[in-house]
Amino acid sequence: VKNCPMLLIQLSHSHDSKNDLDENSGMFLRTVEAAASCLKENEADAARSAMLFLLAVVELQEQSRSVRHGVEAIDSSSLSTSLASIEPVLDASIAHVRSVVIIGLLTGACGSYPREVLDPAAGLLHAILRSSSNEECEPSVMIAVQQREFLLGDDARVVSLALLSRCANGNATKSVLMDFFSDIWSMHQSDDIGAVAGGDVVANFIQKCKVGFAT
């Protein structure tokens, strides 16, 4: 994705007459959709590969925006033109899967992911939150922490929403979100999650979110 933006352009404009796809629904968008669906995989390699692919797409989107706004200089004028050309494709593709990705990553952090994919999952979520507006992310974040997979209680839900909002506003680093994912995942491994929700472990987590994660 990063090394072949011109290939990305060609894929984005591939047309499949059998499915009557429009110009912006080419092979690349279907690849992004497939990667988003793989976030539900319990198999670590499949989930991690999907996360890394989607992260590369988000990072390329950020690079294309930086070039357009003059924040990042590109030596090659042809590469700069290429990045400008694919920005609408990247924006449309990410917008298409944003909700599924946010909900899928947070659901996975609630115990269903293999532990080894927690860091790439948190890294992808941080990138998505940073590259999107609050209006684009907030509804999906709300859905994710209100679903039945989140078993830590209302107080933990409130501080989780606050932390994710800080990530979106650039006030919490990727490492903070990785730590958050690790804690959420560990608490959901308990055999007696009801006791956890009202116990000291969650109380300590809430305090950590208010104090430790805030720094």
Side-chain angles (χ1 to χ4, degrees), residues 21-68:
L21 297 174
D22 62 36
E23 187 175 343
N24 291 321
S25 298
M27 189 184 302
F28 178 71
L29 176 55
R30 282 177 282 171
T31 304
V32 171
E33 289 176 335
S37 68
C38 285
L39 296 179
K40 301 175 183 177
E41 291 286 339
N42 292 325
E43 204 282 314
D45 288 341
R48 184 190 296 109
S49 295
M51 292 168 191
L52 294 177
F53 173 79
L54 291 169
L55 179 59
V57 173
V58 176
E59 289 176 343
L60 188 59
Q61 178 196 41
E62 287 289 283
Q63 185 181 16
S64 67
R65 289 175 176 176
S66 296
V67 170
R68 176 165 56 86

Side-chain angles (χ1 to χ4, degrees), residues 143-177:
I143 291 171
V145 300
Q146 289 174 350
Q147 60 189 347
R148 65 178 182 273
E149 286 83 359
F150 189 94
L151 303 172
L152 304 179
D154 289 340
D155 290 342
R157 184 175 290 110
V158 169
V159 295
S160 296
L161 286 169
L163 174 64
L164 293 166
S165 178
R166 290 201 295 272
C167 290
N169 294 328
N171 296 321
T173 65
K174 179 174 66 174
S175 62
V176 165
L177 193 58

